[in-house]
Structures are given as structure tokens and as C-alpha cells.
Amino acid sequence: MLEFMGMDAYLMADNHEELYAVMDQEPRQRYNLSRTFYHFMCRPHVSEGTPELDQIGALTGVDIQPLSQMETYPDEMSREWALEQAASETERQQILQEAETAKANLTGNIDKVLATLEELMSALATLDNLPSLLDHGRRDTLDSPRYFADFLREAGEGEIDYLDNNFGQDLRVIKRFLEFAKSHGSAIVYFAYA
């Protein structure tokens, strides 16, 4: 198994402070994604070929854009860093305008993401040997034979070892979070990385 240090992917919502207050009353591991999921979502930035998420969309016939767009939400920390790097007031204003546009583009995305996820999970459940159907380029940084295998395998007792989730387990975590967030009034869901 590959060990990834540093970056984690987090599921967030427009009312995340309220959600986390409620989530503190139950095991938060139920909503944690593996470290491999972070690398999976970042593949478009490092892959020399077609990223696995795009390949999965093509294999299943599912438009995966709502999942990809979850990366575009301008979290406060990233926006502040970009503003600090801006060379001029014009550039700062452009950063702020782009952040507002990105937020507006995701307004009310929770239903679309949930529908996409359900369609994707249903289609993936019918595919045999997903790892062999994917082209990982010259460098497989995802440990694909393990990560994409056993799509239907449920997580272990208590789901404590979420860092080692496979792709199917990560998608079920996202679905669980979306259903939880929707039941608590969330309208926007997105990924954050730290």
C-alpha cells in the first residue's frame, strides 16, 4: 500500500459549522475520506493522460462534472492566500470576483451532486474489475489495484480505518455526508483540502 503524507480531502457544506456541531455527537469517521481520495481528485493536475475520474465517467456514461465542480468552491483560506499574493488592487478585485462567481455556480448543487453520485455508484456496481479498465499513465500514484477493487465491499466495523478506504467506500462516505447535510439544510457541498 502506498502511504500518502500531508493532504486530506474534507467534505464541506455552506453551513459546515452547524453540521460539525451536530456531527460531534456521533463518530466523525463516518464522514472522513481516505487520503487516496485527495490524490484521486488531484489527478487532473498531475496526470499526463486522462484522469481516472474522467475515465470512470466515460466508462459509466455518467456526467461527473458535478463532482469535479465541488473542487471549485473558494474556501476562505485559499482566497486569503490568493489575496496576499496579488500584485495589485485590480488583481485583488479579480480574485474576489472570481470567488463570488465560483460560489454562485455551485449554489444549490447538493441535489445535483447527490443524483450524480447515486447514478455513478449504481453504474460502478455493475462493472467487473474496474482497476483493469483504467489507464493510469506511466505513474500510478493511487495504488489502483487496491483502491479501485472491491467496489461493493463495506468498510470495517466502526469505519475507524477510513484512511485506507477504497473508491467504493469513499463514494459511500460522500453519499452519507450529502444525505446528512441535506437533512440539516445544506444547499452547497464542496471539497476542501488541508
Side-chain angles (χ1 to χ4, degrees):
M1 180 184 81
L2 295 176
E3 288 293 326
F4 296 114
M5 298 299 290
M7 298 300 285
D8 288 310
Y10 297 95
L11 291 159
M12 303 294 287
D14 53 338
N15 61 341
H16 66 270
E17 290 176 9
E18 175 188 327
L19 288 182
Y20 283 128
V22 175
M23 286 167 63
D24 282 341
Q25 299 169 17
E26 58 182 276
R28 188 168 287 177
Q29 295 91 333
R30 292 177 41 81
Y31 305 104
N32 288 345
L33 295 165
S34 70
R35 287 215 167 131
T36 306
F37 187 81
Y38 162 78
H39 292 274
F40 169 72
M41 291 303 292
C42 291
R43 291 288 285 169
H45 310 292
V46 298
S47 176
E48 66 275 352
T50 303
E52 287 82 354
L53 182 58
D54 292 337
Q55 292 178 56
I56 288 169
L59 282 169
T60 59
V62 175
D63 177 9
I64 49 85
Q65 288 305 307
L67 288 172
S68 297
Q69 290 168 345
M70 287 176 66
E71 286 195 304
T72 65
Y73 191 86
D75 66 88
E76 191 172 321
M77 190 168 72
S78 298
R79 187 180 63 236
E80 290 303 318
W81 181 85
L83 289 170
E84 288 174 9
Q85 304 304 310
S88 67
E89 184 58 31
T90 302
E91 193 175 335
R92 282 184 198 81
Q93 291 305 314
Q94 181 179 352
I95 290 166
L96 291 171
Q97 180 58 47
E98 288 172 359
E100 288 307 310
T101 300
K103 282 183 182 182
N105 289 340
L106 290 182
T107 299
N109 75 332
I110 193 166
D111 289 324
K112 192 170 193 175
V113 173
L114 188 54
T116 299
L117 190 62
E118 288 172 346
E119 183 182 4
L120 182 61
M121 291 172 67
S122 180
L124 285 169
T126 66
L127 291 179
D128 288 328
N129 201 7
L130 180 59
S132 70
L133 301 174
L134 299 173
D135 176 12
H136 310 290
R138 288 179 284 151
R139 210 168 143 230
D140 180 5
T141 60
L142 299 175
D143 190 14
S144 295
R146 185 206 61 80
Y147 187 62
F148 292 108
D150 298 324
F151 182 79
L152 297 175
R153 183 180 51 138
E154 291 295 329
E157 182 64 33
E159 301 175 47
I160 299 301
D161 197 17
Y162 64 89
L163 291 175
D164 202 30
N165 278 357
N166 68 22
F167 185 56
Q169 291 164 329
D170 278 337
L171 291 183
R172 287 188 290 282
V173 166
I174 295 170
K175 182 179 181 210
R176 184 180 310 120
F177 177 82
L178 293 174
E179 290 169 343
F180 174 79
K182 185 174 178 175
S183 74
H184 287 83
S186 301
I188 299 173
V189 289
Y190 59 98
F191 296 121
Y193 304 114

